[in-house]
Amino acid sequence: MSTAAVTDKRPSSLRGASLPKWSPWAIAAGSVVVAVAIGLIGGLSSKIQWGLIAAILFVLGTYGIAARVEGRRQAKDRVATSLVWVAFLLAVIPLVSLVWTTVSRGVKVLDVYFLTHSMGVVADSEPGGGIYHAIIGSLEQVGLATVIGAPVGILTAIYLVEYGRGKLAKSVTFFVDVMTGIPSIVAGLFILSLMLIFEMQPFGFAGSLALAILMMPVVVRSTEEMLKLVPNELREASLALGVPKWRTILKVVLPTSIGGITTGVMLAIARIAGETAPVLLLVFGNPFINNNPFEGAQASLPLYIYQQYAQSAGANAAYDRAWAASLTLIAFVMILNLVARGIARWKAPKTGR
Amino acid sequence: MAKRIDVSGLTAYYGSHKAIEDISMTVEPRSVTAFIGPSGCGKSTFLRTLNRMHEVTPGGRVEGKVLLDDEDLYGAGIDPVSVRREVGMVFQRPNPFPTMSIFDNVAAGLRLNGKYRKSELNDVVEKSLKGANLWNEVKDRLNKPGSGLSGGQQQRLCIARAIAVEPKVLLMDEPCSALDPISTLAIEDLIGELKERFTIVIVTHNMQQAARVSDRTAFFNLAAVGQPGRLIEIDDTERIFSNPSVQATEDYISGRFG
């Protein structure tokens, strides 16, 4: 009988037994069921523990079953795949949970009134009011920081990639690396010390300066990488046409990499838009609308969120406003990212016929 | 319009590494001169010294003289940018500018030097594309990206781009090595036409190609790996391929190399 089976199957060294396509899902479902059972029987209260047990069971179960049916090499392959999936889920769950919490709590008071009014005549513990002043503050501070930080960062990167040789370039690279690691509060303290020397009161532009310091190294790094991706052949082709170097950079190198550079700048903007510490030190916060970033305290979205949470003495209205402002901030950053992607796609070198 | 090149005692370095040593030769105007020789013998390096592209490589420097109709390209006060406007170059791999259309690619040299009007540009682009035998294939899609063309078309686009700035000399660094035989034939025919107007220097690994397109051939060789490359001999192509005066040349050409 065994010989019959063998002749039937035509033994081939290229074809081995394999698990059906749905087996990962079955193993996943099985491990979740077992994990829930273990959790209930063992009296584990935390759902996180259940999830981790399920993840471990999934990886071990995949290996055990695959090793038995398919052999050790395929089992290792499947374990690697399942580890990647588990890691992916572990990364995505907090993200989804964060977005879900923010949206579900934020939509309560988020409306046109909220976006177009300030907290000028509303006490922090009472309902009403809005974030118009904080939006204005954020836009102005981040905008000014970008106007300073992006050109300086892009030009530094151009220097490093196109001109930089020897010690100066190396030390610039080193200091950019150091700047990348500066905590935001230190950048804030640096500007604050200058403000104290000149005996100035908090104002929006001081915050912009600190944000620009934080933004610059991010822009330098990303722009540098993008410029390095431009093939040297294009530079040589342009130089060989008798085009001066600066014009080659301006007309050939930058247009080729503009999509990536824009993405980098947008991500840097997204990073500084959420900074609270330097704004707290330098811009101070202000419940009234102040359109002038060069004089007087201003508000900003992250600062507003912090102050609503910290100064409202547990009032629900303030918590709701903090969540709504968080949602606005996330939406702002997400819109920036979408714009960056749009520009990157629009400006990408064309390949079509 | 075409100019003569006179090289004397030229030595080129990459940092402390000597790539080519003591090369002297004359390249006649309105002719095709081919450089042949094994890989790494410094043909391309020598070619790049002829329009000062060698110094674009970090650490690249040159000793000796290159006279372009009696003017030393490495003389004091000579601007490498103006040298490259006189001596154009076509590279091994086709490299059209990816952000530009076919029209803009050809116009790039003029436009990037910033001194042409729209109507003039149209004429120059048409003339250059016709000169590169590409006009009929692309005239209906001048606004499409240059990277959408086939490899052979892209290389002819690069030639059109190079001749659009009206150089006196055209250097070609293995222009056909990435192309199929039909595209190669198209470019060889083109070289035959272009030599009426330009001085052409071409580096090639293909000896049949050197025999087909060139009037004079220079053979480069190096004594050993790590040694600088040298010019072994330069003579009329017919003589090099039938009765070379140096044994090494005959060995290389007949395949008894090494």
Side-chain angles (χ1 to χ4, degrees):
Chain A
M1 184 173 159
S2 64
T3 35
V6 166
T7 43
D8 246 350
K9 269 184 144 183
R10 267 196 245 144
S12 155
S13 58
L14 298 179
R15 201 180 311 156
S18 67
L19 289 169
K21 282 237 171 82
W22 45 263
S23 58
W25 299 104
I27 297 170
S31 44
V32 167
V33 169
V34 175
V36 169
I38 291 175
L40 289 176
I41 293 167
L44 300 173
S45 56
S46 164
K47 297 263 166 46
I48 295 173
Q49 280 173 319
W50 296 15
L52 288 176
I53 292 172
I56 293 167
L57 284 176
F58 175 59
V59 174
L60 292 178
T62 306
Y63 184 79
I65 294 172
R68 176 149 296 185
V69 180
E70 295 183 329
R72 288 174 59 89
R73 183 174 57 75
Q74 285 90 337
K76 281 177 195 160
D77 180 36
R78 281 184 185 273
V79 164
T81 313
S82 57
L83 278 176
V84 170
W85 273 102
V86 167
F88 166 71
L89 285 176
L90 286 179
V92 158
I93 287 169
L95 184 70
V96 170
S97 139
L98 182 142
V99 170
W100 173 248
T101 316
T102 314
V103 170
S104 61
R105 297 198 185 193
V107 289
K108 268 190 229 163
V109 290
L110 186 63
D111 51 20
V112 176
Y113 181 89
F114 184 73
L115 292 174
T116 51
H117 288 75
S118 76
M119 295 296 292
V121 291
V122 184
D124 280 340
S125 54
E126 287 170 12
I131 54 169
Y132 180 69
H133 60 305
I135 294 177
I136 290 291
S138 262
L139 287 179
E140 284 178 354
Q141 289 151 31
V142 170
L144 285 169
T146 308
V147 167
I148 302 168
V152 174
I154 292 174
L155 290 174
T156 308
I158 291 176
Y159 167 76
L160 286 175
V161 174
E162 304 290 340
Y163 293 96
R165 301 270 176 272
K167 274 186 186 159
L168 181 59
K170 271 192 187 135
S171 48
V172 170
T173 309
F174 175 73
F175 283 114
V176 168
D177 283 342
V178 172
M179 274 177 80
T180 316
I182 290 183
S184 55
I185 188 78
V186 175
L189 285 171
F190 170 63
I191 301 293
L192 183 66
S193 65
L194 293 179
M195 273 171 63
L196 292 179
I197 291 172
F198 295 107
E199 296 183 343
M200 286 186 287
Q201 296 299 313
F203 61 114
F205 187 65
S208 303
L209 289 175
L211 294 179
I213 293 176
L214 294 171
M215 182 180 186
M216 260 182 251
V218 184
V219 174
V220 174
R221 270 280 160 272
S222 57
T223 307
E224 220 186 330
E225 293 309 316
M226 287 304 136
L227 291 178
K228 280 181 188 162
L229 285 181
V230 176
N232 231 355
E233 291 147 22
L234 293 183
R235 295 188 180 91
E236 292 196 339
S238 175
L239 291 176
L241 288 174
V243 180
K245 187 164 182 175
W246 66 272
R247 239 188 142 94
T248 298
I249 294 169
L250 205 62
K251 297 283 183 179
V252 175
V253 178
L254 284 180
T256 309
S257 54
I258 192 71
I261 293 175
T262 321
T263 312
V265 170
M266 291 288 181
L267 292 176
I269 295 175
R271 180 182 183 265
I272 61 166
E275 284 295 348
T276 320
V279 181
L280 180 64
L281 283 177
L282 304 169
V283 188
F284 196 69
N286 182 354
F288 294 92
I289 297 170
N290 175 8
N291 284 325
N292 183 0
F294 296 100
E295 200 182 343
Q298 272 189 316
S300 92
L301 279 173
L303 184 60
Y304 175 89
I305 296 167
Y306 167 72
Q307 287 176 338
Q308 285 296 310
Y309 185 82
Q311 298 170 2
S312 57
N316 275 335
Y319 283 172
D320 288 345
R321 281 195 295 265
W323 281 111
S326 311
L327 184 56
T328 315
L329 186 56
I330 290 179
F332 172 68
V333 169
M334 207 178 77
I335 290 168
L336 270 185
N337 277 331
L338 289 178
V339 168
R341 276 164 183 260
I343 291 176
R345 184 170 297 181
W346 172 48
K347 282 289 183 183
K350 291 147 189 78
T351 50
R353 271 157 204 274
Chain B
M1 211 169 83
K3 285 190 175 179
R4 175 197 311 272
I5 305 175
D6 256 308
V7 185
S8 53
L10 189 103
T11 303
Y13 299 84
Y14 289 105
S16 58
H17 173 69
K18 197 189 271 184
I20 50 174
E21 188 174 34
D22 194 23
I23 292 181
S24 304
M25 70 162 69
T26 302
V27 175
E28 298 294 336
R30 286 194 187 77
S31 72
V32 179
T33 304
F35 293 173
I36 59 170
S39 292
C41 69
K43 308 180 295 291
S44 295
T45 304
F46 179 58
L47 193 74
R48 289 165 66 91
T49 61
L50 298 184
N51 70 342
R52 298 194 61 167
M53 284 298 285
H54 175 64
E55 64 207 66
V56 172
T57 321
R61 68 198 162 84
V62 170
E63 289 165 8
K65 271 188 180 176
V66 179
L67 299 182
L68 187 67
D69 271 7
D70 303 328
E71 193 162 23
D72 186 4
L73 299 186
Y74 288 92
I78 296 283
D79 179 8
V81 170
S82 349
V83 169
R84 291 175 200 138
R85 285 182 196 170
E86 299 265 289
V87 186
M89 191 161 189
V90 175
F91 295 84
Q92 186 171 359
R93 288 227 314 253
N95 51 3
F97 299 126
T99 50
M100 298 185 194
S101 67
I102 293 170
F103 183 94
D104 291 340
N105 259 289
V106 181
L110 301 174
R111 200 176 266 164
L112 296 184
N113 292 330
K115 54 185 178 194
Y116 271 80
R117 263 185 256 113
K118 185 80 187 162
S119 56
E120 273 177 287
L121 275 184
N122 285 336
D123 293 345
V124 172
V125 167
E126 182 174 344
K127 195 174 137 212
S128 307
L129 283 171
K130 278 180 175 159
N133 287 336
L134 191 61
W135 176 250
N136 286 329
E137 290 158 67
V138 300
K139 65 182 175 198
D140 300 324
R141 45 171 176 163
L142 289 175
N143 293 318
K144 297 280 167 58
S147 42
L149 297 173
S150 78
Q153 289 172 326
Q154 286 188 20
Q155 191 63 299
R156 276 180 283 153
L157 179 62
C158 293
I159 294 175
R161 182 174 68 184
I163 61 180
V165 291
E166 291 289 329
K168 310 288 185 274
V169 179
L170 197 57
L171 308 176
M172 300 178 143
D173 191 356
E174 299 184 44
C176 303
S177 65
L179 304 182
D180 70 297
I182 293 174
S183 308
T184 302
L185 186 67
I187 289 186
E188 285 181 9
D189 289 346
L190 177 57
I191 292 172
E193 291 167 26
L194 290 177
K195 78 169 178 179
E196 311 289 324
R197 294 159 58 202
F198 305 100
T199 306
I200 293 180
V201 183
I202 176 172
V203 169
T204 176
H205 273 296
N206 182 332
M207 275 175 281
Q208 286 79 25
Q209 183 172 61
R212 280 195 300 265
V213 302
S214 70
D215 303 307
R216 286 167 69 78
T217 299
F219 174 58
F220 289 76
N221 204 350
L222 70 178
V225 175
Q227 299 285 312
R230 286 167 179 279
L231 174 65
I232 304 301
E233 66 173 313
I234 175 166
D235 211 330
D236 289 342
T237 299
E238 255 173 55
R239 235 183 107 74
I240 289 273
F241 281 93
S242 58
N243 189 18
S245 47
V246 182
Q247 183 64 34
T249 313
E250 195 179 334
D251 288 351
Y252 183 78
I253 286 167
S254 55
R256 285 197 301 267
F257 180 70

